[in-house]
Amino acid sequence: MMKEGFYWIQVDGQVQIARYVSQLIEDMETGEIVNGSWEFTGTQPGIINTRDVEVLSDLLTPP
């Protein structure tokens, strides 16, 4: 199971930092209840819950 925090991810061909949040959430496309969602950071904030997310790094640690 993934730990909550920030990771480098890739989704739809774009690489960015996102925050993983461990919570039960309904997949709006399938109606399935899944654990976890991603909160985007940066200039285009948003939330995504998809299996298309590729995690590119370990949990990022603060400096």
Side-chain angles (χ1 to χ4, degrees):
M1 181 180 293
M2 291 187 65
K3 293 183 179 181
E4 288 190 354
F6 292 90
Y7 296 82
W8 279 103
I9 67 166
Q10 179 171 312
V11 63
D12 295 332
Q14 295 186 342
V15 174
Q16 58 188 306
I17 293 178
R19 178 175 176 246
Y20 176 76
V21 180
S22 180
Q23 63 184 1
L24 293 179
I25 190 165
E26 181 180 357
D27 184 320
M28 300 305 281
E29 293 178 9
T30 66
E32 179 183 2
I33 302 296
V34 295
N35 185 24
S37 64
W38 292 96
E39 296 176 353
F40 294 139
T41 60
T43 58
Q44 295 182 343
I47 297 174
I48 189 168
N49 173 29
T50 179
R51 290 180 175 79
D52 296 334
V53 171
E54 179 183 358
V55 180
L56 303 175
S57 73
D58 290 331
L59 178 65
L60 299 177
T61 57

